[in-house]
Structures are given as C-alpha cells and as structure tokens.
Amino acid sequence: MNLSLYGYQDAWIAVDCGMLIRQDLPGEPLQVPDTSILDTRGIRPQALLITHGHEDHIGAAAWLWPRWACPILATPLVAAMLRVKFSERGLPTDAIDVIEPGDARDIAGFSLRFLPLTHSIPESCALLIQAGNSRILHTGDWKLDPEPLIGQPVNEDLFRALAPVDLVVGDSTNANVAGHSRSEGEVARAMVSTISRCQGRVVVSCFASNLARVLAIGRAAARCGRRVSLLGRSMERMVGHARQLGYLDDFPALVPVSDLGYLPPEEVLVIATGSQGEPRAALSRLAQGRHPHFELTTGDTVIFSAKAIPGNEHLIERLKRGLARFQVTIIDDASHPELHASGHPAQQELERFYRWLQPTRLLPVHGEENHQSAHQELACRLGIEAPLAPRNGDLIRFDQGGLTREESFPLSQCIIERGGIDRRQSPAHARNRHGVLFLAISLVATDTGWARIGRLMIDSSQTSPLDEDNFIDWLDEQLDDLAVDTLSALRRGLYPRIQAWLGEHLQRLPQVELQLMASDIEGIAGDV
C-alpha cells in the first residue's frame, strides 16, 4: 500500500492513499496506513494527490480522508472510482477535484503537474513537484508501452523537456528484471490467436482495472465470432466507468449472463473477475458450480490473463483444481506468457526514462528490498546518486546536501474489518502490554508450506532485550514444522508459538505486531 507525504516549510501534501488485503488474518480484513505520527507532529496535508486508480494507491482514501478534509486531486477515472467509495461510506464527494492528465495546480507553496504515463490502468500519471528551487518527479506506477490500446504512448519530448530533475522518487517493482516489459498491443494479438483456437465456451479472467486488457479481450471475441458477457461486480463497475468516459467506444455489445444458455458454445466468451483465486469472485463461483446462470462443462476453456500476486499462489492452485473437475482446458501465464504484460518498467525502460530525465538523485520506492537494491545499482551505473532505500516510517530530508534519513518511526498495523470496524491498537494499549514487538516476515510458498526468505524485519526497541539470532533460528524451525496452505492458517499456527517463545525468553510479554508477507522467487510484486 502506498502513502507518501511531501513537506516544504510548514505545508504538506499527500500522494496516494492505498490499502492492502490481509490474507493472513481471519476474514481477510483491510490494512490501511498508520497515520498516528502525523497527528503527533501536527501534520495535516493540504491536498491528497492520486497518481492512478489501483487499490494499493486509493483503497484507504475513504478511511483516512475524513481526518484531513482536504481537496483530493484525481483524474476522471480515479474520481469516478473514489465517488463510489465515498458514497458507500456516506461521505461527501465535493472534495474530489477532477484534474486532467497534463494539467497543473499550485497548492500551499507547491507547484504540481500531472504528467501522463502508461501503466495497467488508464490515466496513470507521474507528479512533477516543485517546491522552492527543487524539482522532484514522483513516478507512481508506470511502464513505457508503445501500444497501450487506451490512451497515448509516453511522450518522450515531454519528459526530455524536464531534464535535469533534482530527484526521482521511482517505481522499483521490476528493477531486477532485464529487458523491456511486454506491450498491451502484443497481448491483444496473442489473445486473438489463442481464442481463435478454442472450441467451446471461453472464460477469460483478468484484473477489472486493466481496461486495456478488457478491451483487447472484447475485440478478440468479436474477431472470433463470439458474444461477450461480464461476470463480477467490480468488472461491471469498471466497464461502466470506462464507457462513461469514452474509453470503450468500440467494445462489443454485452449479452446478459442469463442469456448465454441460448447461444452455441463456440459463440460465448465471458470476462470474469477472480484471477487471483478470491473466494468471493466470479471465477471461484464457477469453479464451485455455484453460479445461477452459467456452468462450465467439458470442452470449455478458462484463460488466466494475469500473473499471480505473491501470496495468492495457493488460492489460485485451489481454484484451478476446482476448475479441473469440470474437465476444462486451463491456459495461464506459465504456459502462455504472451497473454499477460506487466504494468511496471524493466531495466531497459528505467534506463531509457532516466536518460530522458537526467536526474541527479534517485529514491527507490514501490518494491521490496531486493527491488530497491537493484534499482540503486542501475542508478549508479547511470551516474545517478541513490544513497538510500527508504523503509515505511522513514522521514527523509532532501536539500542541497542530498538525501538524509533523519528519523524512522515505528508504525502500527491499522486493521479495518470488512464491516468497517477499526481494530487498530492505540499507543496506550501497547504500553499496557509492556511495549510492542514489530515483526514482519517475508515468505515464499513451498511444496510443504512456507519458508522465510530475505531479511527478517524486527523492531524490538520497545521491549525487553531480545536475542535475535536465537529467535530467527527458532522461527525457521517452526516454519519447517508448520505444513499449511494459506497465510491465514500459517498465522493461526505461528502466532501462539511466538507468544509462547517470548514468554519463555523475555522478562515481560510485549504486544506482538506480526505481519506475514508472501513473495515469489523472482520477486514479482503488486499488480505485475
């Protein structure tokens, strides 16, 4: 999840306001950023700027905005999505201010400009932030797509005209991936080729927000003589937003799901949510035979036009096992990588972009530690200073002397139940439990369960002294012993063991803030 704040003199602005879904907790609640330090330091943003409409960038806005009551600057698609979220929570929407890509605003001493980039959702923008004599480019999520299907390719001249910029705060997600990301245009052609060879009904699952992919699937269906139907409320909602904004003018006419039974199988194509194995999504209902109007059968094909988000591998495998019971053909990115494109820049794109911008310094964000390190190494090869890899809670000063980490603040886990209950632990409650132990474990799925990878993130500064080496050795043994499929099951088994170990080895038992974070071996993360 993403939330950045920029301060100049006595003014602050916030950039993005995302959330994540905690699959390791019962009920899969939401986690939103901990903003308690802002209250402590008297920081209240004068504006919230949104770079694009993915949930890890907008999902917490309806929860945190009421504390700020500031203007929200968002492009038309993001504004439409936010209005729905705010309305669902009974919040006013008049603070949502629509800004077109390319436009500029001056707010509280900041000169701001939204610069269009390509990503896996339309209207993605970088932010050019000028305060005093410094110019910072906050990239948001991006790639260089020569055929984005919706919108225009990135304007090289626009970004060359910015050079040199003082600092790039840049997307690190695929900084460890060689080459260039695949274009949505390539995926569209591969989609036509694949669907044309299918015999029965076809179900294609992708992220609802990837409207270029949805458009490519619809066009491929029309070329192959198939009628299109949508399954899933988020898919229907996103297509509705896109049509209102004129993004899907040549999208085929939709057939109600209830009418699909009247069509020959070779004329049916369904675009469905649920590529990540979400239990409540449309594709999972099909795999369980629980959809009232549509049932899979032998000879049908299910296409996964999305890569697994780390942590969802077990859910997806369970979904595929359910689909296999209907004897359908399953096509995914492992067998057909040409049916998916990452929304983030690989190394060639980063190098090309930075040659346009000629940045003096880089602050690598949006990625795990290995992505940030790869991004720093790439920057050094290009002669760009990249001394810091920021962590959540860091306060970083940028001035004529460069980048300095001034302070790192411990952050609590702010958990929001699906029903809207905030289960955040207050600082006072934490003190009553003899301090707080913050523990974050990066994991990779194995054949028998889960294994720890990378550095263990642990902050025991508020507790009794902890023998971290002894604890890590013990932790790895527990992970080897726990043969479970899901992060939620792993948490249920691991949490009481950690509390028992701490009870035996510490003089006073602290409040344990445990977060389990799934990764894959290649380090692919986010909406890859």
Side-chain angles (χ1 to χ4, degrees), residues 366-486:
H366 205 292
E368 298 176 9
E369 186 178 7
N370 61 320
H371 306 117
Q372 292 175 296
S373 296
H375 204 171
Q376 287 176 291
E377 292 172 5
L378 182 145
C380 290
R381 292 198 299 270
L382 297 176
I384 303 167
E385 296 180 29
L388 297 179
R391 299 182 296 269
N392 290 336
D394 280 356
L395 177 63
I396 295 173
R397 173 179 291 276
F398 177 57
D399 54 23
Q400 292 181 343
L403 293 161
T404 306
R405 181 182 285 112
E406 289 210 329
E407 198 168 353
S408 295
F409 298 97
L411 302 178
S412 298
Q413 298 180 31
C414 301
I415 304 300
I416 306 293
E417 302 287 4
R418 295 283 182 158
I421 301 172
D422 188 342
R423 288 204 280 119
R424 179 175 43 226
Q425 297 292 343
S426 69
H429 182 273
R431 286 193 296 270
N432 291 336
R433 291 296 302 273
H434 311 300
V436 184
L437 175 68
F438 297 93
L439 180 63
I441 309 172
S442 294
L443 301 160
V444 64
T446 67
D447 292 338
T448 57
W450 298 87
R452 184 177 63 85
I453 62 171
R455 185 186 64 179
L456 179 69
M457 288 170 279
I458 183 168
D459 181 358
S460 57
S461 60
Q462 301 181 35
T463 69
S464 303
L466 175 68
D467 185 341
E468 293 189 14
D469 291 337
N470 187 19
F471 176 73
I472 290 171
D473 290 341
W474 172 85
L475 177 64
D476 288 339
E477 292 175 0
Q478 304 311 303
L479 291 172
D480 289 340
D481 184 57
L482 288 166
V484 293
D485 289 339
T486 67

Side-chain angles (χ1 to χ4, degrees), residues 223-518:
R223 287 191 58 179
C224 296
R226 293 178 180 269
R227 306 288 297 278
V228 177
S229 185
L230 304 179
L231 276 184
R233 282 183 293 178
S234 62
M235 184 69 69
E236 294 170 355
R237 180 177 290 176
M238 284 300 300
V239 169
H241 291 326
R243 282 184 148 172
Q244 290 176 0
L245 295 169
Y247 287 135
L248 298 178
D249 287 344
D250 61 342
F251 195 76
L254 293 172
V255 176
V257 178
S258 57
D259 291 349
L260 292 179
Y262 299 106
L263 296 174
E266 64 274 9
E267 294 181 13
V268 172
L269 184 140
V270 172
I271 308 176
T273 58
S275 64
Q276 301 304 299
E278 304 96 314
R280 291 185 285 260
L283 196 57
S284 288
R285 296 203 306 273
L286 291 181
Q288 297 164 13
R290 293 195 295 108
H291 197 280
H293 303 296
F294 189 78
E295 185 173 318
L296 295 169
T297 188
T298 303
D300 293 342
T301 299
V302 177
I303 299 173
F304 286 80
S305 186
K307 184 180 285 289
I309 293 176
N312 292 342
E313 295 87 354
H314 287 277
L315 290 174
I316 294 171
E317 287 306 311
R318 184 174 65 183
L319 170 63
K320 289 178 178 178
R321 289 195 296 270
L323 294 169
R325 292 189 294 106
F326 295 94
Q327 297 182 313
V328 301
T329 299
I330 298 174
I331 297 174
D332 59 17
D333 70 289
S335 59
H336 290 73
E338 70 277 8
L339 294 177
H340 176 66
S342 173
H344 300 273
Q347 291 174 359
Q348 287 183 6
E349 293 156 277
L350 290 168
E351 292 171 359
R352 184 181 177 193
F353 195 51
Y354 293 159
R355 289 192 177 99
W356 297 350
L357 293 168
Q358 295 296 308
T360 303
R361 295 178 179 88
L362 168 75
L363 193 65
V365 297
H366 205 292
E368 298 176 9
E369 186 178 7
N370 61 320
H371 306 117
Q372 292 175 296
S373 296
H375 204 171
Q376 287 176 291
E377 292 172 5
L378 182 145
C380 290
R381 292 198 299 270
L382 297 176
I384 303 167
E385 296 180 29
L388 297 179
R391 299 182 296 269
N392 290 336
D394 280 356
L395 177 63
I396 295 173
R397 173 179 291 276
F398 177 57
D399 54 23
Q400 292 181 343
L403 293 161
T404 306
R405 181 182 285 112
E406 289 210 329
E407 198 168 353
S408 295
F409 298 97
L411 302 178
S412 298
Q413 298 180 31
C414 301
I415 304 300
I416 306 293
E417 302 287 4
R418 295 283 182 158
I421 301 172
D422 188 342
R423 288 204 280 119
R424 179 175 43 226
Q425 297 292 343
S426 69
H429 182 273
R431 286 193 296 270
N432 291 336
R433 291 296 302 273
H434 311 300
V436 184
L437 175 68
F438 297 93
L439 180 63
I441 309 172
S442 294
L443 301 160
V444 64
T446 67
D447 292 338
T448 57
W450 298 87
R452 184 177 63 85
I453 62 171
R455 185 186 64 179
L456 179 69
M457 288 170 279
I458 183 168
D459 181 358
S460 57
S461 60
Q462 301 181 35
T463 69
S464 303
L466 175 68
D467 185 341
E468 293 189 14
D469 291 337
N470 187 19
F471 176 73
I472 290 171
D473 290 341
W474 172 85
L475 177 64
D476 288 339
E477 292 175 0
Q478 304 311 303
L479 291 172
D480 289 340
D481 184 57
L482 288 166
V484 293
D485 289 339
T486 67
L487 285 177
S488 179
L490 178 63
R491 182 186 180 87
R492 289 195 298 270
L494 186 59
Y495 190 84
R497 297 189 187 196
I498 291 175
Q499 287 188 310
W501 189 93
L502 294 173
E504 293 176 1
H505 292 81
L506 297 183
Q507 294 180 353
R508 310 179 85 180
L509 184 64
Q511 172 75 27
V512 179
E513 295 280 2
L514 174 64
Q515 182 168 355
L516 305 180
M517 304 177 296

